[in-house]
Amino acid sequence: MTQTSRGPRIRKSPKWLEARRDALLERKGELEHDLAPDPSLQQQPEYLSPEDQAVRERENALQTRVSGIEAEELGLVEEALGRLDRGEYGFCQNCQKQISDARLRAVPWARYCTRCQRSLAGEATARDGGGGKDRLRRASTNLQDLLGDREHELEA
Ligand SMILES: [Zn+2]
């Protein structure tokens, strides 16, 4: 009698899962550190020139956008740690199939398999593979754009 596989089967070794947990915890620590309030930003000088005030406001706006991206990622990391604890880690949240090892190594907090990620993200990201990695790459591209804009404005 041949064994037919129905539904997800966990084939990951405990060692492999621990490595993913380590990666997730490391990322979580980085994100929490980044998201912690910076004491230097809390200390408002008594007087800011209008120019300084404008720069400060732009910096704050930039920081808010960065924090939004990082807070979103932190949420994904925490979700993934929860799935690890429940023994559900590594399965697509959409189709319940196993997410590839390569994808999980690259994006330990991935929620979806590459296929579902593509269909959920739509055609725009399908071309370059979709996935959380691309989302992050887009996020960092946005950051570069923002920083570029800011430098340009300061020069003007
Ligand atoms: Zn899937």
Side-chain angles (χ1 to χ4, degrees), residues 91-99 111-117 119-120:
F91 296 105
C92 175
Q93 302 292 290
N94 187 51
C95 70
Q96 320 304 322
K97 287 183 181 141
Q98 277 201 340
I99 301 172
R111 276 167 134 175
Y112 305 111
C113 68
T114 313
R115 221 175 134 216
C116 291
Q117 181 75 47
S119 58
L120 290 165

Side-chain angles (χ1 to χ4, degrees), residues 9-13 16-24 27 76-77 80-81 83-84 88-93 97-114 117 131-133:
R9 282 184 307 159
I10 294 177
R11 281 174 297 176
K12 315 292 187 199
S13 69
W16 190 91
L17 288 167
E18 278 312 303
R20 298 290 80 69
R21 184 190 297 276
D22 286 348
L24 286 165
R27 189 67 189 133
L76 291 175
V77 168
L81 285 166
R83 289 197 294 276
L84 263 173
E88 298 167 4
Y89 182 76
F91 296 105
C92 175
Q93 302 292 290
K97 287 183 181 141
Q98 277 201 340
I99 301 172
S100 73
D101 286 8
R103 176 158 164 75
L104 288 170
R105 270 197 298 273
V107 191
W109 51 88
R111 276 167 134 175
Y112 305 111
C113 68
T114 313
Q117 181 75 47
K133 213 174 165 186

